[in-house]
Amino acid sequence: MPGITHIEQFQKPAMRGLIDESVKIREETPTFADVFLPNENTFSTKFAYDIVKTNRHLAAMIGFGAEPPVMDRDAVASKMGELTKLGIKDIATEEELLALNQSRNNSEHAELIEKLQRKAINVSNALLDRIELMKLEALTTGEFHYNHNNVKVDFDFGVPDEHKIVLTGANKWDNSDHDALSDLLNWSEQFSNTNGRSASKIIMPRETFSLLAKNKVIISEARPNTQATRVSELEVKEVLGQFGLPNLEVVTNRKMTVRNLYDGKDEVKEFFPSNRVIFVADGVGKFLLGPTVENDFKPGIVVDAIDERSPIRSIFEGVAAGFPVLEDPKLLLFADVK
């Protein structure tokens, strides 16, 4: 059969090595989501089922039809395979296959193989992006929402209500006279009282930080006897450090472009509310990677090359299985400040 699977670089051993190396490169620059929800392998074939069965905060559970009925916990658990199984494809077209098999010299042949290998790596990266988004959604909202393939699940990880703070009126941070520093100190103390230890980090998006940088109390601490209307990120961090607050991380991008696993189209997902401050500590949870048939019943990300005849084409098919687990949701505290 015409295609690419007869080529050594696209056979299973070489593909495993290529994808493993691409995943390793991504792991060298972990995000805060990777730090607080590190990947953990499980060989359980029903780990997804168990997540639903043991979770006490499964909210809306609805299934099939235009006005679908509410599903019970057992029914949702039985559908968890669709939530956790992640798959994506990229296609090597007939034209690309013709170019590869009609290459005029070794250099051109090698260049075309590298081009197709990049397709395989892009598939792997698409899966990693989707996993990253799942982690971020869990960490920044305490929830997970799924609405595809006639299955809808709203999953609440159980962050305590007292750790979901909403400022109102003149207490919002868009009022530069409001004492935002006292807010942070109070929330830090509340976090410590709940957990018996301090948060590891304060995380906020750029939009929220810009309000903090213009807060008059912060400015007076950073630059006494000044008429400045704004201070730098470094100065804000120094002020927070002087008061014993956790390290601050400012997130510059609250959105991610990911591939829709059902229609293959790119979609922009907002994962961090623009008005939110998050306190988080190590040990909040993990991201479970489960086994797949495609990966020889082992956990992990796998991309295979597959040749097809009708139409003639070759496909890079990527598969993984995983779901975020918040083992100690009280190690999250949210404050909406505007």
Side-chain angles (χ1 to χ4, degrees):
M1 177 184 291
I4 61 175
T5 56
H6 66 283
I7 300 172
E8 181 181 357
Q9 290 91 333
F10 301 114
Q11 293 173 0
K12 183 173 287 190
M15 288 292 293
R16 293 295 188 270
L18 176 70
I19 299 307
D20 288 348
E21 184 62 25
S22 71
V23 172
K24 183 179 178 181
I25 290 172
R26 283 278 293 254
E27 290 174 344
E28 291 174 355
T29 54
T31 66
F32 74 85
D34 299 320
V35 171
F36 291 107
L37 289 181
N39 292 341
E40 181 176 307
N41 291 338
T42 176
F43 284 85
S44 169
T45 57
K46 64 185 194 76
F47 77 98
Y49 183 94
D50 290 338
I51 289 171
V52 167
K53 291 295 287 183
T54 59
N55 185 73
R56 294 180 294 110
H57 302 280
L58 196 61
M61 300 170 285
I62 53 178
F64 305 98
E67 294 184 1
V70 175
M71 299 171 66
D72 62 22
R73 188 175 296 269
D74 288 329
V76 174
S78 71
K79 300 298 292 181
M80 275 296 284
E82 294 191 29
L83 277 72
T84 59
K85 186 73 175 287
L86 311 175
I88 195 74
K89 295 180 180 180
D90 201 352
I91 297 171
T93 64
E94 185 174 358
E95 289 77 11
E96 289 174 310
L97 298 179
L98 284 170
L100 178 64
N101 287 280
Q102 295 176 359
S103 51
R104 292 163 294 187
N105 52 58
N106 290 338
S107 295
E108 184 178 359
H109 188 75
E111 182 180 337
L112 291 168
I113 284 179
E114 288 180 6
K115 179 181 177 180
L116 291 175
Q117 285 177 320
R118 286 195 292 272
K119 279 181 176 280
I121 292 172
N122 287 340
V123 169
S124 172
N125 284 334
L127 290 171
L128 290 170
D129 287 343
R130 176 61 63 170
I131 289 171
E132 179 78 5
L133 184 63
M134 293 170 75
K135 291 181 181 184
L136 288 164
E137 186 175 349
L139 283 174
T140 61
T141 69
E143 300 174 355
F144 176 79
H145 299 282
Y146 177 93
N147 187 9
H148 293 291
N149 203 25
N150 294 319
V151 178
K152 180 178 180 180
V153 174
D154 295 319
F155 202 95
D156 187 334
F157 289 103
V159 176
D161 289 340
E162 59 270 23
H163 280 205
K164 299 176 181 177
I165 299 158
V166 179
L167 300 183
T168 59
N171 293 326
K172 294 182 179 181
W173 282 12
D174 51 10
N175 173 17
S176 61
D177 291 318
H178 175 69
D179 190 349
L181 180 57
S182 287
D183 286 340
L184 293 171
L185 290 168
N186 290 335
W187 298 334
S188 181
E189 182 179 6
Q190 180 178 346
F191 187 100
S192 298
N193 289 339
T194 301
N195 294 290
R197 62 186 176 106
S198 300
S200 304
K201 187 169 284 191
I202 300 172
I203 305 172
M204 65 181 69
R206 178 64 62 185
E207 293 90 335
T208 300
F209 174 80
S210 67
L211 300 177
L212 194 61
K214 293 185 288 187
N215 185 267
K216 292 181 180 179
V217 174
I218 296 290
I219 294 172
S220 67
E221 292 290 342
R223 301 185 197 174
N225 304 314
T226 181
Q227 298 301 312
T229 58
R230 179 190 296 270
V231 291
S232 69
E233 181 175 330
L234 178 60
E235 289 172 303
V236 172
K237 289 180 177 180
E238 287 176 346
V239 170
L240 301 190
Q242 289 168 4
F243 282 85
L245 287 164
N247 291 333
L248 171 65
E249 179 171 339
V250 180
V251 176
T252 57
N253 190 354
R254 300 184 298 104
K255 302 176 183 178
M256 179 184 291
T257 301
V258 294
R259 191 69 55 85
N260 185 299
L261 301 179
Y262 288 93
D263 60 21
K265 298 179 181 179
D266 287 341
E267 55 185 357
V268 178
K269 293 283 191 177
E270 182 176 301
F271 60 83
F272 205 134
S274 64
N275 63 335
R276 182 156 292 179
V277 176
I278 298 175
F279 285 71
V280 61
D282 298 322
V284 65
K286 58 193 174 186
F287 188 92
L288 280 180
L289 283 168
T292 59
V293 173
E294 294 86 347
N295 199 28
D296 301 324
F297 306 98
K298 296 181 293 185
I301 291 173
V302 61
V303 180
D304 286 322
I306 302 170
D307 291 331
E308 293 186 347
R309 180 177 290 278
S310 182
I312 293 175
R313 61 182 186 173
S314 292
I315 292 174
F316 292 108
E317 183 179 73
V319 170
F323 200 77
V325 179
L326 295 192
E327 296 174 306
D328 194 353
K330 70 179 184 298
L331 291 175
L332 281 172
L333 183 148
F334 304 140
D336 293 342
V337 300
K338 65 173 181 176

